[in-house]
CSV table of all heavy atoms in Angstrom, one decimal:
chain,number,residue,atom,x,y,z
A,284,ARG,N,-115.9,-154.0,51.7
A,284,ARG,CA,-115.3,-154.5,52.9
A,284,ARG,C,-115.1,-153.4,53.9
A,284,ARG,O,-115.3,-153.6,55.2
A,284,ARG,CB,-114.0,-155.2,52.6
A,284,ARG,CG,-113.3,-155.7,53.9
A,284,ARG,CD,-112.0,-156.6,53.6
A,284,ARG,NE,-111.5,-157.2,54.9
A,284,ARG,CZ,-111.0,-158.4,55.0
A,284,ARG,NH1,-111.1,-159.2,54.0
A,284,ARG,NH2,-110.6,-158.8,56.2
A,285,ALA,N,-114.6,-152.2,53.4
A,285,ALA,CA,-114.3,-151.1,54.3
A,285,ALA,C,-115.6,-150.7,55.1
A,285,ALA,O,-115.5,-150.4,56.3
A,285,ALA,CB,-113.8,-149.9,53.6
A,286,LEU,N,-116.8,-150.9,54.6
A,286,LEU,CA,-118.0,-150.6,55.3
A,286,LEU,C,-118.3,-151.7,56.4
A,286,LEU,O,-118.7,-151.3,57.4
A,286,LEU,CB,-119.2,-150.6,54.3
A,286,LEU,CG,-120.5,-150.1,54.8
A,286,LEU,CD1,-120.4,-148.6,55.2
A,286,LEU,CD2,-121.6,-150.3,53.7
A,287,ARG,N,-117.9,-152.9,56.1
A,287,ARG,CA,-118.1,-153.9,57.1
A,287,ARG,C,-117.1,-153.9,58.2
A,287,ARG,O,-117.2,-154.4,59.3
A,287,ARG,CB,-118.0,-155.3,56.4
A,287,ARG,CG,-119.1,-155.5,55.4
A,287,ARG,CD,-119.1,-157.0,54.9
A,287,ARG,NE,-118.0,-157.3,54.1
A,287,ARG,CZ,-117.8,-157.0,52.8
A,287,ARG,NH1,-118.7,-156.4,52.2
A,287,ARG,NH2,-116.7,-157.4,52.2
A,288,GLU,N,-116.0,-153.1,58.0
A,288,GLU,CA,-115.0,-152.9,59.0
A,288,GLU,C,-115.2,-151.6,59.8
A,288,GLU,O,-114.5,-151.3,60.7
A,288,GLU,CB,-113.6,-152.9,58.4
A,288,GLU,CG,-113.2,-154.2,57.8
A,288,GLU,CD,-111.9,-154.1,57.0
A,288,GLU,OE1,-111.5,-153.0,56.7
A,288,GLU,OE2,-111.3,-155.2,56.8
A,289,HIS,N,-116.3,-150.9,59.4
A,289,HIS,CA,-116.6,-149.7,60.1
A,289,HIS,C,-117.1,-150.0,61.5
A,289,HIS,O,-117.7,-151.0,61.8
A,289,HIS,CB,-117.7,-148.9,59.3
A,289,HIS,CG,-117.9,-147.5,59.8
A,289,HIS,ND1,-118.7,-147.2,60.9
A,289,HIS,CD2,-117.5,-146.3,59.3
A,289,HIS,CE1,-118.7,-145.9,61.1
A,289,HIS,NE2,-118.0,-145.3,60.1
A,290,PRO,N,-116.8,-149.1,62.6
A,290,PRO,CA,-117.1,-149.4,63.9
A,290,PRO,C,-118.6,-149.5,64.2
A,290,PRO,O,-119.0,-150.1,65.2
A,290,PRO,CB,-116.5,-148.3,64.7
A,290,PRO,CG,-116.1,-147.2,63.7
A,290,PRO,CD,-115.9,-148.0,62.5
A,291,GLU,N,-119.4,-149.0,63.3
A,291,GLU,CA,-120.9,-149.0,63.4
A,291,GLU,C,-121.5,-150.1,62.6
A,291,GLU,O,-122.8,-150.2,62.6
A,291,GLU,CB,-121.5,-147.6,63.1
A,291,GLU,CG,-121.0,-146.5,63.9
A,291,GLU,CD,-121.5,-145.1,63.4
A,291,GLU,OE1,-122.5,-145.1,62.7
A,291,GLU,OE2,-120.9,-144.1,63.8
A,292,PHE,N,-120.8,-151.0,62.1
A,292,PHE,CA,-121.3,-152.1,61.2
A,292,PHE,C,-122.3,-153.0,61.9
A,292,PHE,O,-123.4,-153.2,61.5
A,292,PHE,CB,-120.2,-152.9,60.6
A,292,PHE,CG,-120.7,-154.2,59.9
A,292,PHE,CD1,-121.3,-154.0,58.7
A,292,PHE,CD2,-120.4,-155.4,60.4
A,292,PHE,CE1,-121.8,-155.2,58.0
A,292,PHE,CE2,-120.9,-156.5,59.7
A,292,PHE,CZ,-121.6,-156.4,58.5
A,293,PHE,N,-121.9,-153.4,63.2
A,293,PHE,CA,-122.8,-154.3,63.9
A,293,PHE,C,-124.1,-153.6,64.4
A,293,PHE,O,-125.1,-154.2,64.6
A,293,PHE,CB,-122.0,-155.1,65.0
A,293,PHE,CG,-121.0,-156.1,64.4
A,293,PHE,CD1,-119.7,-155.8,64.5
A,293,PHE,CD2,-121.5,-157.3,63.8
A,293,PHE,CE1,-118.8,-156.7,63.9
A,293,PHE,CE2,-120.5,-158.2,63.3
A,293,PHE,CZ,-119.2,-157.9,63.3
A,294,GLU,N,-123.9,-152.3,64.7
A,294,GLU,CA,-125.1,-151.5,65.0
A,294,GLU,C,-126.1,-151.5,63.8
A,294,GLU,O,-127.3,-151.7,63.9
A,294,GLU,CB,-124.7,-150.1,65.4
A,294,GLU,CG,-125.9,-149.2,65.7
A,294,GLU,CD,-125.5,-147.8,66.0
A,294,GLU,OE1,-124.3,-147.5,66.1
A,294,GLU,OE2,-126.4,-146.9,66.0
A,295,LEU,N,-125.5,-151.4,62.6
A,295,LEU,CA,-126.3,-151.4,61.4
A,295,LEU,C,-127.0,-152.7,61.2
A,295,LEU,O,-128.1,-152.9,60.9
A,295,LEU,CB,-125.4,-151.1,60.2
A,295,LEU,CG,-126.0,-151.2,58.8
A,295,LEU,CD1,-127.2,-150.2,58.6
A,295,LEU,CD2,-125.0,-151.0,57.7
A,296,MET,N,-126.2,-153.9,61.5
A,296,MET,CA,-126.8,-155.2,61.4
A,296,MET,C,-127.9,-155.4,62.3
A,296,MET,O,-129.0,-156.1,62.0
A,296,MET,CB,-125.7,-156.2,61.6
A,296,MET,CG,-124.6,-156.3,60.6
A,296,MET,SD,-125.2,-156.7,58.9
A,296,MET,CE,-125.4,-155.1,58.2
A,297,ASP,N,-127.9,-154.8,63.5
A,297,ASP,CA,-128.9,-154.9,64.5
A,297,ASP,C,-130.1,-154.1,64.0
A,297,ASP,O,-131.3,-154.6,64.1
A,297,ASP,CB,-128.4,-154.3,65.8
A,297,ASP,CG,-129.4,-154.6,66.9
A,297,ASP,OD1,-129.8,-155.7,67.1
A,297,ASP,OD2,-129.8,-153.6,67.6
A,298,MET,N,-130.0,-153.0,63.4
A,298,MET,CA,-131.0,-152.2,62.8
A,298,MET,C,-131.7,-152.9,61.7
A,298,MET,O,-133.0,-152.8,61.6
A,298,MET,CB,-130.5,-150.8,62.3
A,298,MET,CG,-130.0,-149.9,63.3
A,298,MET,SD,-129.2,-148.4,62.5
A,298,MET,CE,-130.7,-147.6,61.8
A,299,LEU,N,-131.1,-153.7,60.9
A,299,LEU,CA,-131.7,-154.5,59.8
A,299,LEU,C,-132.2,-155.8,60.3
A,299,LEU,O,-132.8,-156.5,59.4
A,299,LEU,CB,-130.6,-154.7,58.8
A,299,LEU,CG,-130.1,-153.5,58.1
A,299,LEU,CD1,-128.8,-153.8,57.2
A,299,LEU,CD2,-131.2,-152.9,57.1
A,300,GLY,N,-132.1,-156.1,61.5
A,300,GLY,CA,-132.6,-157.5,62.0
A,300,GLY,C,-131.7,-158.6,61.7
A,300,GLY,O,-131.9,-159.7,62.0
A,301,VAL,N,-130.5,-158.3,61.1
A,301,VAL,CA,-129.6,-159.3,60.6
A,301,VAL,C,-128.8,-159.9,61.9
A,301,VAL,O,-128.7,-161.1,61.9
A,301,VAL,CB,-128.5,-158.8,59.7
A,301,VAL,CG1,-127.5,-159.8,59.3
A,301,VAL,CG2,-129.3,-158.3,58.4
Side-chain angles (χ1 to χ4, degrees):
R284 178 172 184 141
L286 189 63
R287 297 188 293 277
E288 293 175 342
H289 192 280
E291 296 175 18
F292 172 69
F293 290 105
E294 178 185 348
L295 175 64
M296 294 297 97
D297 190 50
M298 293 174 68
L299 292 169
V301 174

